[in-house]
Amino acid sequence: MEGNIAILGYGLSAIGPGIGVGLIFAAYINGVARQPEARGMLQTIAFLGFALTEALAIFGLALSFVFR
Amino acid sequence: MQLVAPALAAAAEATTPGDPSVPILPHLGEMIFGIVVFAALYFYVAKKIVPRLEKVYAERRAAIEGNVEKAERAQAEAQAALEEYKAQLADARGEANRIREEARQQGAAILVEMREQAQAEAERITTSARATIEAERTQATAQLRAEVGRLATDLASRIVGESLHDSARQSGVVDRFLTDLERSENAGVTSR
Amino acid sequence: MSLGMLAAAGGGEGFEAPGQDIFWWPLFGTSGAFAVTRPALVLVISAVVIAVVLTLATRRLTVVPGKGQMLTEAGYGLVRNSIAREIIGSHDFLRFVPLLFTYFTLILLNNLFGVIPFFQYPTMGRIAFPLVLALVVFVIYHFLGIKRRGLGGYLASLIPPGLPGWIKPFVFFLELITYFITRPVTLALRLFGNMFAGHILLVLFITGGEYMLLHSHSLGLQILSIPTFGMGVVMTLFEILVEFLQAYIFTLLAALYIAGSLADEH
């Protein structure tokens, strides 16, 4: 076996954000289903939260390229 | 941090910029290209494409608003026509009501008049009957008075003319008087 | 190669799995900071194509749209109404529509170039381009915020109102990192990462299938190449979806960041 252990690190770093993004959009869908007229406001919050959460996974990706 | 910095530095040193081995280090030439192309496209889009599209949006909105206005006008007209129609209907209804009311009033008036007339007639008939009766009574009273006077005079002359101690005669006179009276009464009845 | 072990299991010796180097493609000048590379050429072509197509599509605009106009207006309406107006607000979204529309079309077409034959190179798989696009947003939203409140006011506005005093420095520090590092870096890296990984996956399936079919000498592997190509097709369709999604998300987040600097509250 040859390869780069940093890839595993990226895989690990993607777990948390994966769950987090899922939670955010679950809450967003829930909110829109309950109150469709609040969609605009919820969309803003949901995507800001999504961007922030996904940042962790993206940092993992970046670092997996740096540490080789 | 003390891990990242040397790693980054090593990566940067080991490779020329844009080298494939570190894909997250940007290639300077590509960055310049990117910014120039992006700026050029942005200005083209901002100056030419978006104004055209916005113009269409404005036109469309104007058209839609025009249509809406037209529709509103038509609706207002229809509403006015409906109002007018309703007003006419109400007028007609009022008229009919008025006529009916008038007729009823007239009927009532006629009824009252008729009743009054009948009453007056009845009154008149009663009055005339009463007057006739009164006249007959007066006549009868007058006749009776005259008769009674004559009879009394007769009786008195007879009584004075005959002898008072002739009781037989006397009783005969009374009998004759009564018969006469009866007869005259009978004659009075038949004469009536 | 980090993906070597994957391919080694399937393809036997001699198969070189695609790696990061498939993106390094200088056309003029073999290396160095100013080599004209293939993605740069693709980017120029994409910009020219966008300009020409949009010009042709908007040359005779009518109130009742034709087919080409309908398509253009669908894209424009998506950016204008669902993204810009919804997020920035109907007051001053029109200023940013050209920017957002440029982002959307440029990123979308360059992403689609990843699967369009003869181009087949997702330009945004080179970090330089998404980084430039993210830096433009970065400069714009900071500029707007500082212009609106002044430098001190802008920095003070990073702290959400209604926090107890002792926590403010920490929150300020976090928000500073968010605004100055996390936002531009993630904006660039999200687009880059999606395109980069998706393209590597595509190339892996296609070259792997080709190797199994043509260069391996066992019948089993040659038969196995059929589902591999099938996966390549499926991944291509998936890539198209991801490409649309990434263009949309980039535009959406750019609008969100701009709106955050324009809004009255934090």
Side-chain angles (χ1 to χ4, degrees):
Chain A
M1 286 288 268
E2 59 157 314
N4 193 340
I5 196 75
I7 293 292
L8 282 184
Y10 169 60
L12 289 175
S13 80
I15 295 173
I19 296 170
V21 170
L23 286 177
I24 286 170
F25 278 99
Y28 169 60
I29 291 165
N30 235 323
V32 173
R34 284 186 189 187
Q35 236 172 326
E37 67 272 13
R39 186 195 193 104
M41 215 175 68
L42 288 179
Q43 191 187 35
T44 310
I45 300 168
F47 272 92
L48 271 178
F50 151 77
L52 206 62
T53 312
E54 215 198 28
L56 298 174
I58 287 168
F59 284 150
L61 177 71
L63 292 180
S64 81
F65 285 126
V66 172
F67 297 110
R68 330 181 42 247
Chain B
M1 272 329 236
Q2 62 264 52
L3 275 174
V4 177
L8 272 175
E13 272 168 25
T15 57
T16 52
D19 187 286
S21 55
V22 185
I24 60 161
L25 287 186
H27 180 233
L28 190 60
E30 285 178 350
M31 280 182 79
I32 293 167
F33 244 98
I35 206 149
V36 168
V37 169
F38 179 76
L41 188 64
Y42 171 72
F43 281 114
Y44 185 72
V45 167
K47 286 277 169 292
K48 271 207 106 153
I49 307 295
V50 169
R52 283 180 182 179
L53 285 164
E54 283 302 322
K55 201 168 133 250
V56 171
Y57 266 74
E59 275 172 15
R60 192 167 299 154
R61 197 169 55 227
I64 288 170
E65 270 168 9
N67 278 344
V68 167
E69 207 168 281
K70 211 183 282 171
E72 268 172 3
R73 210 161 45 228
Q75 198 166 14
E77 266 170 27
Q79 191 67 30
L82 187 67
E83 292 289 329
E84 199 178 329
Y85 169 73
K86 270 186 184 159
Q88 277 179 0
L89 199 64
D91 270 6
R93 245 180 224 149
E95 183 84 355
N97 267 346
R98 199 177 56 72
I99 288 169
R100 206 178 298 140
E101 190 65 25
E102 220 165 68
R104 195 160 48 219
Q105 275 174 5
Q106 271 180 4
I110 287 168
L111 209 62
V112 167
E113 201 178 325
M114 296 289 270
R115 196 171 286 153
E116 273 170 3
Q117 270 181 9
Q119 207 139 19
E121 184 79 358
E123 199 84 4
R124 195 180 57 75
I125 288 167
T126 315
T127 315
S128 76
R130 210 169 273 159
T132 313
I133 289 166
E134 187 64 26
E136 271 176 11
R137 203 175 59 89
T138 316
Q139 200 185 347
T141 313
Q143 262 180 8
L144 200 62
R145 195 168 288 161
E147 197 84 356
V148 167
R150 202 173 45 82
L151 282 176
T153 321
D154 269 3
L155 184 60
S157 64
R158 282 222 194 134
I159 291 168
V160 174
E162 301 288 328
S163 91
L164 286 170
H165 26 268
D166 196 350
S167 59
R169 254 197 205 172
Q170 201 175 5
S171 63
V173 169
V174 173
D175 283 345
R176 224 182 307 150
F177 172 71
L178 283 175
T179 347
D180 277 1
L181 186 65
E182 222 164 85
R183 203 180 292 150
S184 81
E185 219 168 59
N186 280 345
V189 168
T190 48
S191 79
R192 280 181 82 171
Chain C
M1 285 293 94
S2 49
L3 287 164
M5 53 187 173
L6 250 180
E13 72 278 356
F15 175 66
E16 181 80 5
Q20 299 141 357
D21 48 340
I22 60 167
F23 284 92
W24 175 238
W25 203 320
L27 293 177
F28 309 107
T30 49
S31 69
F34 296 102
V36 176
T37 55
R38 176 168 166 165
L41 188 63
V42 172
L43 185 76
V44 173
I45 291 172
S46 72
V48 171
V49 167
I50 290 169
V52 169
V53 165
L54 284 182
T55 309
L56 289 180
T58 59
R59 199 170 43 186
R60 279 189 305 274
L61 288 177
T62 49
V63 173
V64 180
K67 234 179 202 163
Q69 190 188 340
M70 199 109 92
L71 203 67
T72 315
E73 281 192 15
Y76 184 69
L78 175 77
V79 175
R80 181 187 188 268
N81 298 336
S82 340
I83 296 180
R85 195 171 58 192
E86 190 93 337
I87 290 171
I88 300 179
S90 55
H91 179 53
D92 45 11
F93 75 98
L94 267 182
R95 271 195 294 159
F96 301 103
V97 167
L99 181 77
L100 297 175
F101 191 50
T102 311
Y103 271 138
F104 185 71
T105 50
L106 194 67
I107 294 173
L108 181 61
L109 188 64
N110 275 298
N111 286 354
L112 287 177
F113 272 164
V115 294
I116 291 176
F118 305 116
F119 293 100
Q120 287 179 324
Y121 191 107
T123 324
M124 299 301 158
R126 289 289 290 174
I127 184 68
F129 301 109
L131 192 63
V132 162
L133 299 184
L135 280 178
V136 171
V137 183
F138 178 77
V139 169
I140 285 176
Y141 77 74
H142 281 306
F143 175 75
L144 285 172
I146 291 169
K147 195 176 117 188
R148 206 178 140 77
R149 299 194 177 85
L151 186 60
Y154 178 61
L155 291 178
S157 77
L158 295 185
I159 306 171
L163 286 180
W166 58 271
I167 211 169
K168 275 184 180 171
F170 300 99
V171 173
F172 178 70
F173 181 67
L174 279 178
E175 292 286 335
L176 212 59
I177 290 178
T178 302
Y179 270 71
F180 283 87
I181 299 172
T182 311
R183 280 186 171 187
V185 167
T186 55
L187 198 57
L189 279 179
R190 179 179 301 112
L191 183 55
F192 158 75
N194 274 286
M195 289 307 109
F196 181 84
H199 195 62
I200 283 189
L201 215 58
L202 273 187
V203 174
L204 176 68
F205 275 116
I206 301 299
T207 58
E210 187 243 353
Y211 181 83
M212 280 197 261
L213 187 65
L214 299 179
H215 301 292
S216 74
H217 301 290
S218 92
L219 188 66
L221 278 181
Q222 280 170 346
I223 291 171
L224 260 182
S225 74
I226 295 168
T228 310
F229 280 127
M231 260 322 268
V233 173
V234 171
M235 289 311 293
T236 305
L237 297 178
F238 181 68
E239 269 305 293
I240 294 173
L241 176 70
V242 169
E243 282 155 2
F244 268 104
L245 206 62
Q246 286 307 315
Y248 179 73
I249 286 180
F250 191 100
T251 316
L252 185 72
L253 286 175
L256 271 179
Y257 296 157
I258 290 172
S261 291
L262 286 175
D264 289 327
E265 251 105 82
H266 172 75

